[in-house]
């Protein structure tokens, strides 16, 4: 695959800055809305996926990502749905790795459910990927099957080991789920830290209709943290990645524990990111319905002027922040699109 090569240096003088002075340097790309699992908080069991014809081709995704890199994006994360189930996805990863070689891109990474990681770990490392996030909410195979509706925990474990063996740093992401994995969080943390992996906990966000309400799933991480603090010594760690996670160091394990708390504390002031979907829609805020179509400008003209102007227009409309609410009155999605559309 041979994507377009905009000159990244040309745009350095004009970084993408939104109306609130936040510079956009991080792009998350959902390369497919499909997935081989159906985590109950993410998708309904009978999810309808987009017709394949609506998806951008891998070449178009490359061109879109390259346009963002030319406009100052320094970190790119592939996500989904499950990024590793998109056919031929490694040709996109390989092609994007040219931006690592030129130094235009500082990091190319992905978020995966790990089920296909054993197959791809070595190639990812060859393509310059150095870190991956693996989502795994439990160490219990039966619970894992219940959460994902049919997933095989053993496959994910094998994927994690393959990634580590290939020299990739692995961070584990776990959604905190009321009455499901709440009690298991210390064990999950000890397991991850025992292998030198950081663990990040995530609050359930009210995104997409999943066929049931959210009250039964939601547990505030402030509560989880308070419980952990009775058992462990947690010390705040300064983290300047501009991301939504707040980290602590756990004295007893020596490991890092992150908290992503969109519900109890929103992290919008330092937001440096935007998201694109596999159909070329740009979302500038995870918690808003805002959407700008980039597929049309991408397809209308072979050079990137229209595309670049459409990106600038959208960034100019990035909202100040979001406000998710889950309570009895609001037990419905705040945002109608599913997390698998934007990839979190
Ligand atoms: N399939 C990949 C995976 O699971 O890592 C990538 C896409 S998935 C949508 C990205 C992350 O979003 C996962 O860590 C998942 O647990 C999380 N997620 C999905 N739905 C969520 C929700 N409603 N609230 C909070 N996190 C959610
Ligand atoms: Fe698939 Fe990831 Fe959503 Fe689970 S969280 S259903 S693995 S996209």
């Amino acid at each position: 695959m041979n994507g377009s090569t905009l000159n990244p240096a040309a745009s350095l003088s004009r970084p993408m800055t939104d109306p609130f002075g936040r510079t956009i340097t991080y792009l998350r790309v959902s390369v497919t809305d499909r997935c081989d699992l159906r985590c109950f908080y993410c998708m309904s069991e009978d999810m309808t996926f987009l017709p394949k014809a609506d998806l951008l081709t891998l070449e178009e995704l490359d061109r879109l990502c390259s346009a963002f890199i030319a406009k100052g994006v320094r970190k790119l994360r592939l996500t989904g749905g499950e990024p590793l189930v998109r056919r031929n996805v490694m040709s996109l990863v390989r092609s994007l790795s040219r931006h690592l070689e030129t130094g235009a891109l500082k990091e190319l990474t992905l978020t995966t459910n790990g089920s296909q990681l054993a197959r791809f770990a070595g190639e990812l490392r060859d393509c310059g990927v150095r870190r991956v996030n693996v989502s795994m909410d439990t160490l219990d195979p039966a619970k894992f099957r219940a959460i994902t509706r049919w997933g095989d925990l053993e496959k994910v474990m094998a994927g994690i080991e393959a990634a580590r063996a290939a020299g990739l740093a692995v961070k584990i992401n776990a959604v905190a789920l009321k009455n499901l994995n709440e009690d298991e969080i210390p064990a999950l943390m000890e397991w991850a830290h025992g292998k030198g992996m950081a663990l990040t906990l995530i609050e359930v966000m009210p995104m997409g209709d999943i066929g049931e309400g959210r009250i039964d799933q939601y547990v505030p991480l402030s509560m989880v943290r308070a419980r952990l603090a009775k058992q462990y010594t947690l010390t705040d760690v300064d983290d300047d990645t501009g991301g939504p996670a707040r980290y602590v160091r756990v004295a007893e394990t020596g490991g890092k524990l992150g908290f992503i708390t969109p519900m109890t504390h929103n992290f919008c002031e330092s937001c440096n990111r935007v998201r694109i979907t596999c159909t070329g829609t740009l979302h500038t805020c995870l918690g808003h319905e805002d959407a700008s179509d980039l597929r049309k400008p991408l397809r209308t003209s072979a050079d990137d002027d229209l595309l670049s102007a459409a990106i600038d227009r959208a960034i100019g409309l990035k909202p100040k922040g979001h406000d998710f609410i889950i309570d009895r009155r609001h037990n419905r999605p705040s945002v109608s699109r599913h997390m698998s559309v934007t990839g979190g």
Side-chain angles (χ1 to χ4, degrees):
M1 208 167 105
N2 197 10
S4 72
T5 41
L6 289 177
N7 175 12
S11 65
L12 284 181
S13 54
R14 219 167 48 84
M16 291 181 286
T17 305
D18 77 3
F20 305 97
R22 297 168 297 190
T23 303
I24 309 304
T25 55
Y26 181 10
L27 177 67
R28 300 173 67 109
V29 186
S30 176
V31 298
T32 174
D33 64 328
R34 288 166 196 256
C35 187
D36 51 349
L37 303 180
R38 294 286 182 282
C39 302
F40 74 92
Y41 51 77
C42 177
M43 296 187 181
S44 65
E45 191 163 4
D46 57 347
M47 219 31 208
T48 312
F49 295 109
L50 293 163
K52 288 209 170 121
D54 285 5
L55 265 57
L56 295 185
T57 64
L58 293 173
E59 285 75 13
E60 286 171 328
L61 278 171
D62 180 280
R63 195 177 140 208
L64 199 47
C65 293
S66 301
F68 274 94
I69 294 166
K71 292 173 77 63
V73 159
R74 295 288 164 262
K75 175 172 172 179
L76 202 152
R77 178 177 299 277
L78 304 182
T79 174
E82 174 46 41
L84 295 180
V85 303
R86 170 101 194 224
R87 203 154 153 221
N88 223 358
V89 71
M90 287 312 300
S91 69
L92 175 65
V93 178
R94 193 162 289 282
S95 151
L96 289 172
S97 71
R98 73 187 183 282
H99 297 297
L100 291 170
E101 281 158 24
T102 64
L105 193 61
K106 297 288 173 236
E107 186 173 26
L108 176 59
T109 183
L110 77 163
T111 299
T112 170
N113 64 27
S115 66
Q116 313 293 318
L117 201 47
R119 251 198 312 154
F120 292 117
E123 206 177 342
L124 286 168
R125 168 85 201 183
D126 276 354
C127 292
V129 174
R130 293 290 172 264
R131 301 193 296 166
V132 292
N133 288 355
V134 178
S135 306
M136 204 190 85
D137 304 327
T138 177
L139 293 168
D140 176 331
K143 264 190 204 171
F144 185 79
R145 209 170 310 115
I147 292 170
T148 59
R149 292 202 175 94
W150 54 68
D152 179 358
L153 183 63
E154 225 175 274
K155 268 193 177 170
V156 176
M157 290 291 190
I160 292 172
E161 286 315 317
R164 282 157 43 82
L168 298 174
V170 178
K171 179 163 80 72
I172 303 295
N173 284 343
V175 177
L177 299 161
K178 194 163 157 184
N179 299 328
L180 248 172
N181 66 357
E182 268 182 287
D183 296 344
E184 212 196 318
I185 286 170
L188 197 55
M189 181 184 81
E190 300 239 5
W191 168 80
H193 289 180
K195 290 180 179 288
M197 305 185 292
L199 170 70
T200 298
L201 302 172
I202 308 173
E203 280 174 350
V204 176
M205 292 172 240
M207 299 193 58
D209 191 352
I210 51 163
E212 54 191 290
R214 301 272 178 188
I215 291 180
D216 296 338
Q217 308 172 358
Y218 173 60
V219 49
L221 286 183
S222 49
M223 255 169 68
V224 174
R225 182 176 171 151
R227 261 187 249 143
L228 284 170
K230 288 188 187 152
Q231 223 179 317
Y232 299 94
T233 320
L234 312 179
T235 313
D236 285 323
V237 179
D238 264 342
D239 192 273
D240 58 0
T241 55
R246 296 287 163 263
Y247 285 98
V248 297
R249 177 76 55 192
V250 182
E252 289 74 5
T253 61
K256 242 169 102 174
L257 176 66
F259 298 90
I260 299 186
T261 56
M263 304 303 300
T264 49
H265 164 254
N266 80 36
F267 37 68
C268 307
E269 322 78 59
S270 58
C271 182
N272 61 353
R273 64 196 57 197
V274 293
R275 297 166 168 83
I276 47 179
T277 70
C278 53
T279 57
T281 302
L282 174 64
H283 295 287
T284 58
C285 177
L286 187 60
H288 274 261
E289 297 281 5
D290 82 292
S292 307
D293 174 42
L294 299 182
R295 184 171 56 182
K296 190 156 177 233
L298 183 80
R299 288 185 174 168
T300 306
S301 140
D303 71 43
D304 287 332
D305 292 352
L306 285 180
L307 178 60
S308 179
I311 294 172
D312 287 340
R313 260 195 313 280
I315 302 289
L317 297 172
K318 184 169 161 71
K320 187 166 182 205
H322 70 256
D323 212 359
F324 287 132
I325 308 170
I326 297 178
D327 63 20
R328 303 237 164 249
R329 264 184 317 129
H330 298 92
N331 197 15
R332 57 178 164 70
S334 289
V335 174
S336 60
R337 61 178 188 264
H338 288 86
M339 193 68 113
S340 50
V341 173
T342 47

